[in-house]
Amino acid sequence: MSNATALPPIPADIAATTAPQLIGTLINWFLFGVLSVQVYIYYLNFSDDSIRNKLLVYGAYIVEVVQTAMTGGDIYFWYASGYGNLSHLDDVNLGPADTPILCGIIASIVQCFFAYRIYTLRKSLAWVSILVVLTSALQVAGAVGAADRIWLIADVVCDILIATTLLWLLYKSRKEGSMYGSQVLAKLVRLVVETNTLTASMALVSFICYVTLPNSPLFVCTTLIMGKLYSNTLLATVNNRILLRKMDTSNIVIQDISEFRVTAKLAAGSQGSGVTYSTSQETAV
């Protein structure tokens, strides 16, 4: 083989370059499998759901299908057609589109979903919902504009804002609302806070790796996972209504499954008085 066509030698530390991309993609595909199961569960249980909710769920899933297919194209380019060719590893191929851009888009969809839920819970917090939407728009702009620091920092801030707001709403509901309504809200808030903490932590880890290890592709592994975490968060929250349907329906009635308007009936007065009070508390999926 002539020197003109000879491939560059493979360095001894090749795993440091290839492992983050490969491991991140494998986890991405695993989470896509989890997401597919969740979408199927949604399909089986919520055929009567509103068109808006169906568009949200299936639209997010379509974006994830495209993202997963694009990561597959990257893996084929780097490790199949480009096997042993380091020049392929230096080529980002579809990477800028499938990781920051589509990840930023799916994150924004989920964040705006929670911004709307915060608004439906308490109209006086409309300014918080607007702040969440604006922060989410900033992270999308950072993702599309290849400003990775802006993308990751705005992502962390947005998730923390959502989680802390919902925690505050839970605290207020326990002081002002009914016992049963608070139980419903507590289940939902706990799920959202746990998942938002996970996505915020992943974005924070990605940012730390990006800043402290600028010459390492380690942050690629974590950013490949972020999008699937957001979409799974969305489906887990929506499908959580299955559990709420199984709660004590003599005390909690789900009036509007798409909005989760919950009416809790509280018995008051002496035993056998037959006096009841009804309070309405709107909770978010």
Side-chain angles (χ1 to χ4, degrees), residues 134-168:
L134 292 177
T135 309
S136 182
L138 179 62
Q139 67 91 10
V140 171
V144 174
D148 291 335
R149 295 194 181 195
I150 294 176
W151 166 41
L152 295 172
I153 291 245
D155 212 12
V156 172
V157 171
C158 193
D159 287 345
I160 291 176
L161 182 60
I162 292 170
T164 53
T165 302
L166 287 172
L167 281 174
W168 182 82

Short mmCIF file of all heavy atoms in Angstrom, two decimals, residues 134-168:
data_model
loop_
_atom_site.label_atom_id
_atom_site.label_comp_id
_atom_site.label_asym_id
_atom_site.label_seq_id
_atom_site.Cartn_x
_atom_site.Cartn_y
_atom_site.Cartn_z
N LEU A 134 -38.78 30.67 29.02
CA LEU A 134 -37.67 31.49 28.51
C LEU A 134 -36.32 30.80 28.71
O LEU A 134 -35.46 30.81 27.82
CB LEU A 134 -37.67 32.85 29.21
CG LEU A 134 -38.84 33.78 28.88
CD1 LEU A 134 -38.74 35.07 29.69
CD2 LEU A 134 -38.86 34.10 27.38
N THR A 135 -36.14 30.18 29.88
CA THR A 135 -34.90 29.46 30.14
C THR A 135 -34.76 28.26 29.21
O THR A 135 -33.68 27.95 28.70
CB THR A 135 -34.84 28.98 31.60
OG1 THR A 135 -35.11 30.08 32.47
CG2 THR A 135 -33.48 28.41 31.93
N SER A 136 -35.89 27.59 28.98
CA SER A 136 -35.89 26.46 28.05
C SER A 136 -35.55 26.91 26.63
O SER A 136 -34.82 26.23 25.91
CB SER A 136 -37.26 25.77 28.08
OG SER A 136 -37.27 24.65 27.22
N ALA A 137 -36.11 28.06 26.24
CA ALA A 137 -35.79 28.60 24.91
C ALA A 137 -34.30 28.94 24.80
O ALA A 137 -33.69 28.76 23.73
CB ALA A 137 -36.64 29.84 24.64
N LEU A 138 -33.72 29.41 25.89
CA LEU A 138 -32.29 29.73 25.89
C LEU A 138 -31.45 28.48 25.70
O LEU A 138 -30.47 28.48 24.95
CB LEU A 138 -31.92 30.42 27.20
CG LEU A 138 -30.44 30.82 27.36
CD1 LEU A 138 -30.02 31.82 26.29
CD2 LEU A 138 -30.20 31.40 28.76
N GLN A 139 -31.85 27.37 26.36
CA GLN A 139 -31.07 26.15 26.20
C GLN A 139 -31.21 25.58 24.78
O GLN A 139 -30.27 25.03 24.23
CB GLN A 139 -31.44 25.12 27.27
CG GLN A 139 -32.81 24.51 27.22
CD GLN A 139 -32.89 23.24 26.39
OE1 GLN A 139 -31.88 22.69 26.00
NE2 GLN A 139 -34.10 22.80 26.12
N VAL A 140 -32.39 25.75 24.17
CA VAL A 140 -32.55 25.32 22.78
C VAL A 140 -31.67 26.16 21.86
O VAL A 140 -31.01 25.64 20.94
CB VAL A 140 -34.02 25.41 22.34
CG1 VAL A 140 -34.15 25.18 20.84
CG2 VAL A 140 -34.86 24.40 23.09
N ALA A 141 -31.64 27.48 22.11
CA ALA A 141 -30.80 28.36 21.30
C ALA A 141 -29.33 27.97 21.44
O ALA A 141 -28.58 27.97 20.45
CB ALA A 141 -31.01 29.81 21.74
N GLY A 142 -28.92 27.63 22.66
CA GLY A 142 -27.54 27.19 22.87
C GLY A 142 -27.25 25.90 22.15
O GLY A 142 -26.17 25.71 21.58
N ALA A 143 -28.22 24.97 22.15
CA ALA A 143 -28.04 23.69 21.47
C ALA A 143 -27.94 23.87 19.96
O ALA A 143 -27.07 23.30 19.29
CB ALA A 143 -29.19 22.74 21.82
N VAL A 144 -28.84 24.67 19.41
CA VAL A 144 -28.85 24.89 17.96
C VAL A 144 -27.64 25.70 17.52
O VAL A 144 -27.05 25.45 16.46
CB VAL A 144 -30.16 25.60 17.53
CG1 VAL A 144 -30.12 25.98 16.06
CG2 VAL A 144 -31.36 24.71 17.83
N GLY A 145 -27.24 26.66 18.35
CA GLY A 145 -26.10 27.52 18.00
C GLY A 145 -24.75 26.97 18.39
O GLY A 145 -23.74 27.68 18.30
N ALA A 146 -24.72 25.70 18.82
CA ALA A 146 -23.47 25.05 19.21
C ALA A 146 -22.76 25.76 20.35
O ALA A 146 -21.54 25.67 20.49
CB ALA A 146 -22.53 24.92 18.01
N ALA A 147 -23.53 26.47 21.18
CA ALA A 147 -22.99 27.10 22.39
C ALA A 147 -23.24 26.15 23.54
O ALA A 147 -24.21 26.29 24.29
CB ALA A 147 -23.65 28.45 22.62
N ASP A 148 -22.36 25.16 23.67
CA ASP A 148 -22.60 24.07 24.61
C ASP A 148 -22.71 24.53 26.06
O ASP A 148 -23.51 23.98 26.83
CB ASP A 148 -21.48 23.02 24.49
CG ASP A 148 -21.54 22.29 23.15
OD1 ASP A 148 -22.62 22.23 22.57
OD2 ASP A 148 -20.49 21.79 22.70
N ARG A 149 -21.94 25.52 26.44
CA ARG A 149 -22.00 25.99 27.83
C ARG A 149 -23.37 26.59 28.15
O ARG A 149 -23.95 26.32 29.20
CB ARG A 149 -20.89 27.01 28.09
CG ARG A 149 -19.49 26.42 27.98
CD ARG A 149 -18.46 27.34 28.57
NE ARG A 149 -17.11 26.79 28.46
CZ ARG A 149 -16.06 27.22 29.13
NH1 ARG A 149 -16.21 28.24 29.98
NH2 ARG A 149 -14.87 26.67 28.98
N ILE A 150 -23.87 27.40 27.23
CA ILE A 150 -25.20 28.01 27.42
C ILE A 150 -26.26 26.92 27.46
O ILE A 150 -27.17 26.94 28.31
CB ILE A 150 -25.49 29.02 26.30
CG1 ILE A 150 -24.52 30.20 26.39
CG2 ILE A 150 -26.93 29.50 26.37
CD1 ILE A 150 -24.68 31.20 25.28
N TRP A 151 -26.17 25.97 26.56
CA TRP A 151 -27.13 24.87 26.48
C TRP A 151 -27.20 24.10 27.80
O TRP A 151 -28.29 23.92 28.37
CB TRP A 151 -26.72 23.94 25.34
CG TRP A 151 -27.40 22.61 25.33
CD1 TRP A 151 -28.72 22.36 25.60
CD2 TRP A 151 -26.81 21.34 25.07
NE1 TRP A 151 -28.98 21.00 25.51
CE2 TRP A 151 -27.83 20.36 25.18
CE3 TRP A 151 -25.52 20.93 24.72
CZ2 TRP A 151 -27.58 19.00 24.98
CZ3 TRP A 151 -25.29 19.58 24.51
CH2 TRP A 151 -26.31 18.63 24.64
N LEU A 152 -26.05 23.69 28.32
CA LEU A 152 -26.02 22.85 29.51
C LEU A 152 -26.40 23.62 30.77
O LEU A 152 -27.15 23.11 31.62
CB LEU A 152 -24.64 22.21 29.66
CG LEU A 152 -24.26 21.23 28.53
CD1 LEU A 152 -22.81 20.80 28.67
CD2 LEU A 152 -25.18 20.02 28.53
N ILE A 153 -25.89 24.87 30.90
CA ILE A 153 -26.20 25.66 32.10
C ILE A 153 -27.69 26.00 32.15
O ILE A 153 -28.34 25.89 33.19
CB ILE A 153 -25.38 26.96 32.09
CG1 ILE A 153 -23.94 26.60 32.28
CG2 ILE A 153 -25.88 27.92 33.14
CD1 ILE A 153 -23.27 27.06 33.51
N ALA A 154 -28.25 26.44 31.02
CA ALA A 154 -29.68 26.77 30.97
C ALA A 154 -30.52 25.53 31.25
O ALA A 154 -31.58 25.61 31.89
CB ALA A 154 -30.04 27.36 29.62
N ASP A 155 -30.06 24.38 30.79
CA ASP A 155 -30.76 23.13 31.05
C ASP A 155 -30.83 22.84 32.55
O ASP A 155 -31.89 22.49 33.09
CB ASP A 155 -30.03 21.99 30.33
CG ASP A 155 -30.97 20.89 29.88
OD1 ASP A 155 -32.19 21.11 29.93
OD2 ASP A 155 -30.48 19.83 29.49
N VAL A 156 -29.71 22.98 33.23
CA VAL A 156 -29.65 22.74 34.67
C VAL A 156 -30.56 23.71 35.42
O VAL A 156 -31.35 23.31 36.28
CB VAL A 156 -28.20 22.86 35.19
CG1 VAL A 156 -28.16 22.79 36.71
CG2 VAL A 156 -27.32 21.76 34.59
N VAL A 157 -30.46 24.99 35.07
CA VAL A 157 -31.26 26.02 35.75
C VAL A 157 -32.74 25.76 35.56
O VAL A 157 -33.54 25.87 36.51
CB VAL A 157 -30.88 27.41 35.23
CG1 VAL A 157 -31.84 28.47 35.76
CG2 VAL A 157 -29.44 27.76 35.62
N CYS A 158 -33.14 25.39 34.35
CA CYS A 158 -34.56 25.16 34.06
C CYS A 158 -35.10 23.98 34.86
O CYS A 158 -36.19 24.07 35.46
CB CYS A 158 -34.74 24.90 32.56
SG CYS A 158 -36.45 24.96 32.00
N ASP A 159 -34.35 22.89 34.93
CA ASP A 159 -34.81 21.72 35.67
C ASP A 159 -34.90 21.99 37.17
O ASP A 159 -35.83 21.55 37.84
CB ASP A 159 -33.87 20.53 35.41
CG ASP A 159 -34.03 19.96 34.03
OD1 ASP A 159 -35.04 20.27 33.37
OD2 ASP A 159 -33.16 19.20 33.58
N ILE A 160 -33.92 22.72 37.69
CA ILE A 160 -33.94 23.05 39.12
C ILE A 160 -35.12 23.97 39.43
O ILE A 160 -35.79 23.82 40.46
CB ILE A 160 -32.62 23.71 39.53
CG1 ILE A 160 -31.48 22.68 39.48
CG2 ILE A 160 -32.72 24.30 40.94
CD1 ILE A 160 -30.11 23.25 39.77
N LEU A 161 -35.41 24.90 38.54
CA LEU A 161 -36.54 25.82 38.73
C LEU A 161 -37.85 25.05 38.76
O LEU A 161 -38.72 25.32 39.62
CB LEU A 161 -36.55 26.85 37.60
CG LEU A 161 -37.63 27.92 37.66
CD1 LEU A 161 -37.51 28.74 38.94
CD2 LEU A 161 -37.53 28.84 36.43
N ILE A 162 -38.01 24.09 37.88
CA ILE A 162 -39.24 23.28 37.85
C ILE A 162 -39.38 22.48 39.14
O ILE A 162 -40.44 22.47 39.78
CB ILE A 162 -39.23 22.33 36.63
CG1 ILE A 162 -39.36 23.13 35.32
CG2 ILE A 162 -40.36 21.31 36.74
CD1 ILE A 162 -39.11 22.31 34.08
N ALA A 163 -38.29 21.82 39.54
CA ALA A 163 -38.35 20.96 40.73
C ALA A 163 -38.64 21.77 42.00
O ALA A 163 -39.48 21.38 42.82
CB ALA A 163 -37.04 20.20 40.88
N THR A 164 -37.96 22.89 42.17
CA THR A 164 -38.17 23.69 43.39
C THR A 164 -39.56 24.31 43.42
O THR A 164 -40.17 24.40 44.50
CB THR A 164 -37.11 24.81 43.49
OG1 THR A 164 -37.10 25.58 42.26
CG2 THR A 164 -35.73 24.23 43.72
N THR A 165 -40.08 24.70 42.28
CA THR A 165 -41.43 25.27 42.24
C THR A 165 -42.47 24.22 42.63
O THR A 165 -43.40 24.50 43.41
CB THR A 165 -41.75 25.81 40.84
OG1 THR A 165 -40.78 26.81 40.47
CG2 THR A 165 -43.14 26.44 40.81
N LEU A 166 -42.33 23.02 42.13
CA LEU A 166 -43.28 21.97 42.47
C LEU A 166 -43.18 21.57 43.94
O LEU A 166 -44.18 21.25 44.58
CB LEU A 166 -43.05 20.75 41.56
CG LEU A 166 -43.50 20.94 40.11
CD1 LEU A 166 -43.07 19.76 39.25
CD2 LEU A 166 -45.02 21.11 40.04
N LEU A 167 -41.97 21.59 44.48
CA LEU A 167 -41.81 21.32 45.91
C LEU A 167 -42.53 22.38 46.74
O LEU A 167 -43.17 22.07 47.75
CB LEU A 167 -40.32 21.26 46.28
CG LEU A 167 -39.59 19.97 45.95
CD1 LEU A 167 -38.10 20.13 46.24
CD2 LEU A 167 -40.16 18.80 46.75
N TRP A 168 -42.41 23.62 46.32
CA TRP A 168 -43.09 24.71 47.03
C TRP A 168 -44.60 24.55 46.94
O TRP A 168 -45.33 24.75 47.91
CB TRP A 168 -42.67 26.06 46.46
CG TRP A 168 -43.29 27.22 47.16
CD1 TRP A 168 -42.88 27.81 48.32
CD2 TRP A 168 -44.47 27.94 46.75
NE1 TRP A 168 -43.72 28.85 48.66
CE2 TRP A 168 -44.70 28.96 47.71
CE3 TRP A 168 -45.33 27.84 45.66
CZ2 TRP A 168 -45.76 29.85 47.61
CZ3 TRP A 168 -46.40 28.72 45.56
CH2 TRP A 168 -46.60 29.71 46.53
#
